Amino acid sequence: MIREYKTIREIASPLMIVRGVEGVSYDEMAEIELPSGEIRRGKVLEVDGDKAIVQLFEDARGINLAESKVRFLGKPLELAVSGDMLGRVFNGMGEPIDGGPAILPEEKRDVNGLAMNPAARAYPAEFIQTGVSTIDGLNTLVRGQKLPIFSGSGLPHKELAAQIARQSKVLGSEESFAVVFAAIGITFEESEFFIQDFRRTGAIDRTVVFSNLANDPAIERISTPRMALTAAEYLAFDMDMHVLVIMTDITNYAEALREVSAAKKEVPGRRGYPGYLYTDLATLYERAGRRRSKKGSITLIPILTMPEDDKTHPIPDLTGYITEGQIILSRELYRKAIAPPVDVLPSLSRLKDKGIGEGKTREDHAGTMNQLFAAYARGKDAKELMTILGESALTETDKLYAKFAEEFEQRYVNQSYETDRSIEETLNLGWELLKILPRAELKRIKEEHIDRYLGAEAQ
Amino acid sequence: MSGKVIKVSGPLVVAEGLKDANVADVVRVGEMGLMGEILNMTGDRASIQVYEETSGLGPGARVETTGYPMSVELGPGMLESIYDGIQRPLTEIMRVSGDTIARGISVPALSRDKKWDFKPVVVKGARLEGGDIIGTVQETAPIEHRIMIPPTLSGTLEDIREGSFTVDEVVATLRAEDGTLHEIKMAQRWPVRVARPYRRKFVPSEPLMSGQRIIDTLFPLAKGGTAAVPGPFGSGKTVVQHQLAKWTDVDVVIYIGCGERGNEMTDVLNEFPELIDPYNGEPLMKRTVLIANTSDMPVAAREASIYTGITIAEYFRDMGHDVAVIADSTSRWAEALREMSGRLEEMPGEEGYPAYLASRIAQFYERAGIVECAGSDGRRGSITAIGAVSPPGGDLSEPVSQGTMRIVKVFWSLDSNLAYARHFPAINWLTSYSLYTSNLTPWYKENGFEDFLADRERTLSILQEESALNEIVRLVGRDSLGAADQLTLETAKMIREDFLQQNAFVDVDNYSSVERQAKLLRIIIELDKQGRKALEDGASMEGLFAIGVRERIGRAKYVPDDAYDEEYRAISRQAAEEIAELVAAGGENR
């Protein structure tokens, strides 16, 4: 039953109030027909008696209270999914914008998805080699993980994300993979950077792009990541593909959410963001993962810029609580021309422990990883002390640690965006750096591994 | 009794025509029969929080009250299960609706087909009161499930049967004082928001062993106590919670995953059946009940999940078991409360949280404790409650952390700087505390841990001194410190690295018995004492810091459990010998 009303009473973008409605339900889609025949879309946020509050997905400009018509469609926002989505570009509402034909849908899916049953999940444990030492060696990514990049304005997160997309592989497997890229309120240039990079490597044919650029309606940003994840779910769990989803920039998404919340006059949480920001972000991030009954997987790399590089800002903070770790970029390392400037110590992969070790990477991986972290932390402290008190204030051991920290940044962290290091190379490089330290300091590593990998020439 | 929906706003539904319904009644909303609970009544209008996604619901939809408050079903079959926030079994749901959770599914919490061997422990004609045990079922290898008279009943046993029954079958009949007959089944229901009754409460006096060195040694928790684990993201809260769920010496563990990642629950589901309980040799899963409301599941059920968990815990406590309730994370529960409060348009308190936040937190933790259970046999049971707190930005001044700190007695404060240096568990030894130490002192004394108490004091003071000395080192460098102070720094480093650090991912180090902890600490404290004496006797400081036994102590925690005693003795001997040599050499130089 399609019901049409000409009773729009109020528009305060992005909200619209329609009176005298009947049989309207929460969360259903609405179409607004302008006098010119143009169609805009929205969804029902609240129904109270005969009053419906509709959130517009697009601009409110040109909507006329007297002449515009509202139709309630009786279904939630949907995306037409099919294998033909690969290689195509869509807008934030899931409509093709690459000039190609409309998608012949296999199925139409509610973009909100359904919560995954934790009993149906398979625990992510397959090592993904990204070729980036700071990720593979220290903050290992596994298939089905959600690992965000916390960046700041002007930091090279797009180069790192493109490098991960380009180089990622699961060792010893030749399975079909796909990339879903969601551009959320970013500039044309940034979006084009990714698309060109996919084109350069030929990955574009296996890529689905959802693009909401900075000059597209901000409200559309709320649906963009949901469109992307719905497409990813179809590719992963219906077509058995291993899907890498890159979403940038979550900060823009959260701001769009705040805009709607403010328009609804909700009690704001921290920094004006709605109290349900955590839950809302979780309904996006939690759609990544693997399922026991399915071959495919969704690995999610959301990118966000931390306002003022502040990790405690609600967006990175809540993201960090939901996701399985984070890769944090450092402005200090960036100024030292270290590429990629990954801030190793606060970065983390929560799922690394199940993805590394004998049979996956190498037996010495866990021990060397912990040792490198601990040594770098101590080396950084020593360097700090050195700047205050001078080198003579350090003990001999601390001098070695300071040297280690410097070399670690220059050789291990620094590798350029084009270098693809194998996990063997990364681990061996780690050992080479550990040689700087006295053997007795290597308490985190098993004796047998030290004997095997450190080599005879060490002390 | 049925009414009609007039307003839908996310999980909040307002319905009219319900004037006979009770506040807190469970209702079924719409054609799909979505489950909800009445929060407020105004005239015949009820504000309802719906535990499932409400999309597609609109004015006019039917609302049916069940007339009962939100309850859980208690009986054999809960152990080894994974439930959602309103006690629907997730493995069953998977059978019905596949990989995702569809709406309006109704599956009983306890299997209706499974038969349990019921062995009576009382005879016909017995005078029984609420809480008395009438028989037992061996639910899993380590856990005996004791069937009790529901707390509200008492009377004379008319009949009791032995044999194999489902939870729906009558195993006994009870004649109450007023002559009415009550059929007793193995399953009973209990409203989750009401604490189950007990006879009286005691002050906790026995430590809860967790096998985690920093916890058992420095900041111990008592059986029947309460603890909170606050920490910013990535500081290892979940790993600490999982370690506690694995290794605490209780009979039953209720693990509530409240608004957290789905993969964490999957991890527990995969891992616990494989892990062996060090206290009884059986897989850990056999003593565990999981409650999972992951962060992508409906927010209203998150609010309920905490109560579902603690009610199940009370039921096992009533049998006379020691139970641990582990909730990760109470902040998500508080946020769910805030979201509903906002939709009800209540006047917000601090940071948008409702004004009743602190009292709700206190009510939850107060359901923990060690008690004499209901019933006439005087048995004791306990609930230990451990809640994770996820303070935004790691800032403990926010309302949930503050409300929690006011009520809990143990505080394990996680520190991101320790986590960055991969010092795990990242529990900060300067800011954490346990208020149970004095209550527990008699227990330690009675059980031969006299030295351990003294060593603990010494350890804490060394760590305190280290932090003060570090301030000086930062200003003037380490060389300006005297030999004794430098020794303090060395010992503190040894305590931190060789004792407090514990690797949850290395099998040997995963769990450390309290005896072993005491012995390892003894070695370190004794080395410090002998070192001090040696310095006085003329030993060289450099020599003291370079003795070979230090590296051996560093590896002591990785020695297998069956060999550690011997190794620790050998370490003590080596330490004494090496120090004696140093003193001898130092004496010559003088």
Side-chain angles (χ1 to χ4, degrees):
Chain A
M1 179 181 73
I2 291 179
R3 298 136 289 162
E4 211 172 72
Y5 299 95
K6 282 181 81 174
T7 45
I8 303 176
R9 282 292 172 268
E10 191 179 323
I11 292 187
S13 182
L15 299 187
M16 177 175 86
I17 294 172
V18 192
R19 281 282 181 184
V21 299
E22 212 176 294
V24 171
S25 62
Y26 173 68
D27 210 30
E28 75 172 295
M29 282 290 291
E31 278 182 356
I32 301 100
E33 191 181 326
L34 270 53
S36 62
E38 191 190 336
I39 303 278
R40 303 270 173 84
R41 292 192 285 178
K43 74 166 183 181
V44 177
L45 279 189
E46 188 177 311
V47 268
D48 187 356
D50 71 344
K51 178 177 88 172
I53 301 178
V54 176
Q55 172 202 326
L56 296 169
F57 284 122
E58 290 152 276
D59 217 341
R61 192 175 314 144
I63 300 182
N64 173 306
L65 296 193
E67 298 296 322
S68 305
K69 285 183 273 192
V70 182
R71 270 193 299 277
F72 292 96
L73 306 182
K75 58 178 189 190
L77 182 58
E78 288 175 329
L79 175 71
V81 289
S82 132
D84 299 335
M85 290 184 300
L86 291 169
R88 301 290 304 273
V89 182
F90 303 88
N91 68 8
M93 293 297 288
E95 293 151 347
I97 49 168
D98 53 2
I103 296 289
L104 280 175
E106 293 288 329
E107 210 181 311
K108 286 192 164 183
R109 292 249 169 111
D110 178 354
V111 298
N112 292 310
L114 283 169
M116 215 192 289
N117 190 329
R121 280 182 189 267
Y123 198 76
E126 273 176 293
F127 168 66
I128 297 181
Q129 180 179 306
T130 64
V132 179
S133 291
T134 43
I135 297 177
D136 293 352
L138 303 174
N139 299 295
T140 316
L141 177 69
V142 294
R143 230 175 217 178
Q145 186 172 10
K146 36 192 177 291
L147 188 65
I149 298 176
F150 287 8
S151 181
S153 329
L155 291 181
H157 48 264
K158 63 178 190 298
E159 285 81 359
L160 177 60
Q163 184 178 20
I164 295 171
R166 193 165 61 232
Q167 299 178 351
S168 287
K169 53 183 160 290
V170 170
L171 298 177
S173 88
E174 285 298 319
E175 287 151 316
S176 56
F177 78 95
V179 177
V180 173
F181 176 67
I184 309 167
I186 58 172
T187 59
F188 168 78
E189 282 164 54
E190 197 167 341
S191 163
E192 202 56 19
F193 171 86
F194 279 100
I195 292 170
Q196 287 306 334
D197 202 77
F198 297 147
R199 207 162 268 152
R200 180 163 70 96
T201 56
I204 191 78
D205 295 335
R206 281 171 309 196
T207 300
V208 189
V209 177
F210 290 88
S211 176
N212 169 285
L213 299 183
N215 60 348
D216 290 329
I219 298 308
E220 207 179 284
R221 282 165 208 162
I222 294 176
S223 61
T224 311
R226 294 189 162 79
M227 292 284 166
L229 287 161
T230 306
E233 278 173 350
Y234 180 77
L235 295 174
F237 304 128
D238 288 75
M239 295 185 63
D240 292 341
M241 300 178 104
H242 293 287
V243 186
L244 178 71
V245 182
I246 297 175
M247 302 199 299
T248 177
D249 182 322
I250 296 296
T251 306
N252 295 335
Y253 169 79
E255 275 169 6
L257 208 62
R258 176 166 70 177
E259 193 180 327
V260 175
S261 168
K264 280 162 75 184
K265 302 192 170 61
E266 290 173 336
V267 179
R270 287 172 70 220
R271 303 236 184 161
Y273 291 95
Y276 49 80
L277 182 62
Y278 176 86
T279 307
D280 191 275
L281 288 174
T283 56
L284 299 181
Y285 299 145
E286 277 289 308
R287 289 170 80 172
R290 292 177 56 214
R291 299 179 183 180
R292 275 191 224 190
S293 59
K294 300 284 165 30
K295 275 194 196 141
S297 65
I298 298 178
T299 308
L300 177 61
I301 302 190
I303 299 173
L304 58 88
T305 45
M306 300 181 279
E308 293 179 76
D309 294 355
D310 176 12
K311 197 157 69 81
T312 66
H313 184 280
I315 301 169
D317 188 53
L318 296 178
T319 298
Y321 274 121
I322 306 163
T323 53
E324 286 144 346
Q326 65 278 338
I327 302 293
I328 300 187
L329 300 186
S330 149
R331 205 168 289 279
E332 191 194 329
L333 291 180
Y334 180 61
R335 289 203 191 105
K336 283 192 192 170
I338 283 171
V342 174
D343 198 351
V344 169
L345 296 180
S347 295
L348 169 74
S349 163
R350 297 178 196 255
L351 301 185
K352 60 181 185 304
D353 301 284
K354 301 264 157 79
I356 62 175
E358 209 172 345
K360 285 174 173 156
T361 53
R362 211 167 72 183
E363 52 178 5
D364 57 320
H365 194 155
T368 48
M369 175 179 75
N370 286 327
Q371 192 70 60
L372 287 169
F373 271 121
Y376 181 51
R378 182 151 169 207
K380 271 185 87 164
D381 279 349
K383 273 171 73 179
E384 206 176 298
L385 207 58
M386 202 159 80
T387 33
I388 306 172
L389 298 170
E391 200 178 333
S392 59
L394 297 186
T395 62
E396 285 309 311
T397 323
D398 277 340
K399 278 181 200 156
L400 292 175
Y401 271 107
K403 177 165 180 255
F404 169 85
E406 188 57 37
E407 298 247 332
F408 177 80
E409 285 175 6
Q410 291 301 337
R411 293 170 59 193
Y412 194 95
V413 182
N414 191 19
Q415 68 171 79
S416 97
Y417 299 107
E418 296 298 328
T419 314
D420 187 357
R421 284 187 193 152
S422 74
I423 183 66
E424 291 277 323
E425 287 174 75
T426 293
L427 290 172
N428 293 343
L429 183 57
W431 279 107
E432 215 154 287
L433 292 166
L434 289 175
K435 280 181 191 164
I436 297 172
L437 302 174
R439 180 176 167 145
E441 291 290 322
L442 307 183
K443 284 187 200 166
R444 309 267 183 132
I445 310 176
K446 285 190 185 161
E447 295 261 21
E448 46 178 299
H449 295 161
I450 301 184
D451 291 340
R452 194 166 310 152
Y453 296 101
L454 196 59
E457 76 273 27
Q459 321 169 6
Chain B
M1 250 266 312
S2 72
K4 255 172 45 187
V5 171
I6 51 172
K7 175 181 172 179
V8 185
S9 166
L12 178 76
V13 168
V14 180
E16 62 180 9
L18 288 169
K19 68 176 187 302
D20 290 335
N22 307 313
V23 171
D25 272 1
V26 169
V27 295
R28 294 277 176 182
V29 182
E31 279 168 36
M32 278 188 286
L34 306 179
M35 196 167 152
E37 183 182 1
I38 297 180
L39 294 178
N40 289 334
M41 300 280 310
T42 324
D44 70 340
R45 285 188 174 195
S47 301
I48 299 163
Q49 71 171 341
V50 178
Y51 292 124
E52 297 177 74
E53 179 57 50
T54 51
S55 86
L57 206 62
R62 220 174 124 84
V63 177
E64 199 93 38
T65 79
T66 59
Y68 297 106
M70 169 75 193
S71 307
V72 285
E73 194 172 44
L74 303 164
M78 289 190 290
L79 293 169
E80 297 183 87
S81 295
I82 176 166
Y83 292 116
D84 75 355
I86 46 176
Q87 214 204 5
R88 295 184 303 180
L90 286 168
T91 32
E92 287 304 311
I93 289 185
M94 191 166 78
R95 220 160 283 161
V96 181
S97 89
D99 291 347
T100 51
I101 301 173
R103 294 188 292 160
I105 294 181
S106 175
V107 189
L110 302 176
S111 163
R112 301 286 126 175
D113 313 322
K114 174 135 179 142
K115 293 214 170 205
W116 301 94
D117 283 328
F118 175 76
K119 290 199 185 64
V121 295
V122 287
V123 288
K124 228 190 278 189
R127 285 275 311 139
L128 295 172
E129 57 181 276
D132 277 341
I133 296 168
I134 56 163
T136 63
V137 166
Q138 197 66 39
E139 185 174 348
T140 61
I143 305 299
E144 185 185 70
H145 193 111
R146 297 163 192 152
I147 308 296
M148 295 167 287
I149 299 284
T152 47
L153 294 181
S154 64
T156 314
L157 199 63
E158 286 273 306
D159 184 29
I160 188 158
R161 302 195 291 158
E162 178 166 3
S164 204
F165 302 102
T166 66
V167 291
D168 269 342
E169 287 174 291
V170 177
V171 293
T173 21
L174 189 76
R175 185 175 296 278
E177 264 90 86
D178 62 2
T180 49
L181 269 183
H182 294 278
E183 294 183 330
I184 310 285
K185 298 173 181 174
M186 284 195 279
Q188 49 177 287
R189 298 190 69 82
W190 190 264
V192 296
R193 297 188 196 279
V194 180
R196 284 174 65 90
Y198 52 82
R199 286 215 159 165
R200 62 196 177 110
K201 223 172 201 175
F202 304 99
V203 174
S205 60
E206 197 186 316
L208 182 86
M209 300 306 176
S210 69
Q212 309 304 303
R213 285 187 290 267
I214 185 158
I215 292 177
D216 293 352
T217 300
L218 297 186
F219 310 110
L221 178 56
K223 269 188 186 150
T226 52
V229 197
F233 66 82
S235 56
K237 264 189 312 298
T238 301
V239 179
V240 169
Q241 297 277 66
H242 279 197
Q243 286 296 89
L244 291 169
K246 285 172 191 167
W247 309 122
T248 47
D249 66 334
V250 291
D251 302 310
V252 176
V253 171
I254 316 290
Y255 191 95
I256 310 168
C258 177
E260 292 289 307
R261 287 176 286 278
N263 277 333
E264 282 173 9
M265 301 314 289
T266 312
D267 191 22
V268 175
L269 278 178
N270 290 345
E271 209 178 2
F272 278 33
E274 311 283 319
L275 289 169
I276 301 298
D277 186 337
Y279 307 101
N280 60 31
E282 292 289 336
L284 283 173
M285 197 64 200
K286 294 198 180 293
R287 65 165 200 181
T288 310
V289 182
L290 299 174
I291 315 277
N293 177 280
T294 57
S295 54
D296 55 342
M297 290 189 195
V299 70
R302 190 166 309 158
E303 195 269 329
S305 64
I306 290 272
Y307 296 102
T308 301
I310 195 104
T311 309
I312 294 175
E314 284 175 339
Y315 175 68
F316 281 106
R317 173 204 68 192
D318 290 348
M319 294 179 204
H321 290 306
D322 290 321
V323 187
V325 174
I326 294 172
D328 185 12
S329 147
T330 56
S331 295
R332 305 304 163 216
W333 164 76
E335 281 167 12
L337 215 57
R338 172 169 70 183
E339 185 170 342
M340 287 316 296
S341 164
R343 296 205 190 253
L344 288 167
E345 292 168 13
E346 293 172 341
M347 183 65 86
E350 234 177 310
E351 291 197 19
Y353 286 104
Y356 46 79
L357 174 71
S359 63
R360 292 280 171 91
I361 294 174
Q363 273 164 13
F364 166 72
Y365 283 107
E366 198 52 22
R367 285 172 80 170
I370 180 159
V371 303
E372 183 184 327
C373 306
S376 48
D377 62 352
R379 64 185 183 274
R380 286 191 183 195
S382 72
I383 295 179
T384 310
I386 304 162
V389 182
S390 317
D395 170 16
L396 294 179
S397 68
E398 56 92 38
V400 184
S401 305
Q402 285 300 315
T404 307
M405 286 164 77
R406 257 170 32 209
I407 191 92
V408 299
K409 299 283 186 293
V410 178
F411 189 71
W412 299 310
S413 166
L414 295 173
D415 183 330
S416 48
N417 285 321
L418 291 175
Y420 295 166
R422 278 15 181 204
H423 174 111
F424 287 116
I427 297 174
N428 185 313
W429 46 87
L430 298 174
T431 51
S432 301
Y433 59 80
S434 165
L435 300 182
Y436 290 119
T437 38
S438 57
N439 290 2
L440 298 176
T441 304
W443 187 92
Y444 285 111
K445 286 192 174 150
E446 279 160 31
N447 288 276
F449 288 103
E450 290 271 1
D451 283 352
F452 182 55
L453 290 176
D455 289 347
R456 168 161 72 200
E457 291 306 310
R458 180 76 188 122
T459 305
L460 283 169
S461 78
I462 289 172
L463 291 170
Q464 280 291 350
E465 275 173 52
E466 182 198 30
S467 127
L469 289 171
N470 272 339
E471 297 284 310
I472 301 174
V473 171
R474 240 174 265 284
L475 291 174
V476 291
R478 184 166 168 162
D479 287 342
S480 56
L481 295 180
D485 285 342
Q486 294 212 33
L487 178 61
T488 304
L489 290 182
E490 281 296 309
T491 306
K493 180 172 171 238
M494 191 176 261
I495 292 170
R496 282 189 284 110
E497 294 182 0
D498 304 337
F499 186 77
L500 297 183
Q501 272 182 24
Q502 190 165 358
N503 195 331
F505 300 99
V506 172
D507 286 342
V508 190
D509 203 24
N510 219 330
Y511 167 82
S512 174
S513 70
V514 72
E515 289 79 17
R516 186 171 174 168
Q517 298 182 20
K519 284 179 179 159
L520 182 56
L521 192 62
R522 192 82 273 280
I523 291 175
I524 296 172
I525 298 300
E526 186 60 27
L527 181 69
D528 179 73
K529 193 172 145 200
Q530 289 186 14
R532 266 168 226 286
K533 185 148 181 306
L535 288 174
E536 280 168 20
D537 292 347
S540 89
M541 187 179 77
E542 289 73 21
L544 185 63
F545 295 168
I547 53 177
V549 79
R550 288 182 180 273
E551 198 188 333
R552 196 165 173 189
I553 292 174
R555 301 196 180 275
K557 58 186 169 188
Y558 298 116
V559 177
D561 260 340
D562 51 5
Y564 87 87
D565 207 29
E566 202 174 315
E567 169 71 8
Y568 287 9
R569 275 178 228 271
I571 290 175
S572 302
R573 277 197 302 275
Q574 188 185 341
E577 282 163 20
E578 284 179 342
I579 288 184
E581 274 170 38
L582 272 176
V583 173
E588 279 160 29
N589 293 344
R590 214 168 9 184

